[in-house]
Amino acid sequence: MVEERSVLSKLFNGFNIFLLVVITLLCILPVWYTLVVSLSDRSAVAAGQVFIWPQGFTFGSYETIIDDGQFFRSFFISVQRVFYSAIITFFIVLLMSYPLSKTSKEFKPRNIFMWLLIFCMLFGGGLVPWYMTMKSLGLINTIWGLVLGGGLPVFNVILVMNFFRNLPKEMEESALIDGAGPWRILFGIFLPLSTPVLATILVFTIVGHWNEFFQALVLMTKNENYPLQSYIRQVTIVIDPSKVDAESAKRLTSLSNQTLNAAKIFISMLPLLVIYPFFQKYFVKGITLGSVKG
């Protein structure tokens, strides 16, 4: 039986489609424009002639980046940071979420830990105490300062905790009757069933650490220790002529800061654009089932 839709329903669906198309274009256009600018000649960019397609097509920006040793050094530091952060944050969130998913009768200090987490999430200690703490721990100019500086995302803990609380209680009770302990239940039962929410927090962690730049500006005193985003933030402000060799200077005559920076920004986005499709299918289920409900 084919259900007939009213005119109002068709108009509503049409408006939704139009709205989603507009929002999609608003998301895609900045990325496309960055790519187009990076492939265009400096004069066309300066004249405002570049919008949808490259003008004066050139790979000069990307050739300059290939010769930039600091760019790839910063890129490698960002990869290291994301790799270590993803592993450490994943296990911290997992190990905190499991006991906190119990009731206060099953895990008596639960309310105290939850109160501390919520308080720390709402009220930060401030930049200076945070810097002094990191300095006293010897984390200045080290990759671990970048990794451990945001090692406990409270929002992710709450997300996973609520996902665990939605899992059937009878399943855990059956495992306890069969002699399984907490570690066996967590890694043998909860972990395989929590793929959507764990993939979601993994993406949150990767994207957050890849795009974060401020911590490095505070913790790193040497430019060679900057991760990629901090380095890009630095070069988008000014290109230091003293650090440009003769060959690069010749190539830069056909480029501009705008085209070069657009190429660097686009390359920095590529890793996330590549990995996101592999995690996207887990997003809706992971977020909705782990949504905050108290």
Side-chain angles (χ1 to χ4, degrees), residues 20-260:
L20 289 174
V21 169
V22 171
I23 293 174
T24 303
L25 289 176
L26 288 176
C27 294
I28 293 176
L29 273 179
V31 179
W32 177 251
Y33 180 72
T34 303
L35 175 63
V36 167
V37 169
S38 70
L39 296 172
S40 298
D41 183 74
R42 61 178 295 183
S43 57
V45 175
Q49 299 172 349
V50 178
F51 184 61
I52 298 296
W53 304 110
Q55 302 294 327
F57 191 89
T58 174
F59 282 113
S61 300
Y62 294 93
E63 292 171 356
T64 303
I65 291 174
I66 291 173
D67 293 338
D68 187 351
Q70 179 59 40
F71 179 86
F72 287 101
R73 192 177 299 117
S74 298
F75 189 94
F76 182 65
I77 291 173
S78 283
V79 172
Q80 278 185 304
R81 177 185 186 177
V82 167
F83 179 75
Y84 294 139
S85 300
I87 295 174
I88 292 174
T89 301
F90 180 85
F91 280 103
I92 289 177
V93 170
L94 187 66
L95 295 178
M96 287 200 70
S97 302
Y98 179 64
L100 292 177
S101 67
K102 308 302 176 189
T103 63
S104 56
K105 290 183 180 178
E106 296 169 306
F107 181 57
K108 291 184 179 178
R110 176 189 182 275
N111 292 340
I112 297 174
F113 282 111
M114 282 304 302
W115 186 87
L116 288 173
L117 288 176
I118 299 298
F119 182 84
C120 293
M121 184 174 70
L122 297 178
F123 305 101
L127 181 61
V128 174
W130 176 77
Y131 174 77
M132 292 176 68
T133 302
M134 301 297 281
K135 187 177 181 181
S136 65
L137 294 173
L139 296 175
I140 304 299
N141 278 322
T142 68
I143 186 71
W144 298 109
L146 303 176
V147 172
L148 300 177
L152 177 58
V154 178
F155 176 77
N156 289 353
V157 173
I158 295 173
L159 202 65
V160 178
M161 179 192 74
N162 282 305
F163 191 93
F164 284 167
R165 297 179 77 176
N166 282 319
L167 295 176
K169 196 70 178 175
E170 295 78 10
M171 191 171 52
E172 186 176 3
E173 290 173 352
S174 299
L176 286 171
I177 292 172
D178 291 340
W183 292 102
R184 180 74 178 275
I185 294 173
L186 175 60
F187 288 99
I189 298 176
F190 278 51
L191 186 61
L193 293 175
S194 307
T195 304
V197 72
L198 294 177
T200 301
I201 66 162
L202 194 60
V203 173
F204 285 166
T205 303
I206 292 172
V207 173
H209 278 278
W210 184 265
N211 289 329
E212 207 284 327
F213 72 93
F214 183 70
Q215 284 186 5
L217 297 179
V218 177
L219 297 177
M220 302 297 173
T221 58
K222 301 175 182 175
N223 290 353
E224 56 265 30
N225 292 332
Y226 277 169
L228 186 59
Q229 303 301 335
S230 303
Y231 169 70
I232 289 177
R233 182 262 176 195
Q234 186 186 35
V235 299
T236 50
I237 295 175
V238 62
I239 293 178
D240 187 354
S242 64
K243 297 181 179 179
V244 178
D245 56 29
E247 187 177 349
S248 298
K250 183 179 179 181
R251 191 181 295 123
L252 285 171
T253 56
S254 62
L255 305 173
S256 66
N257 283 0
Q258 195 173 355
T259 56
L260 191 57

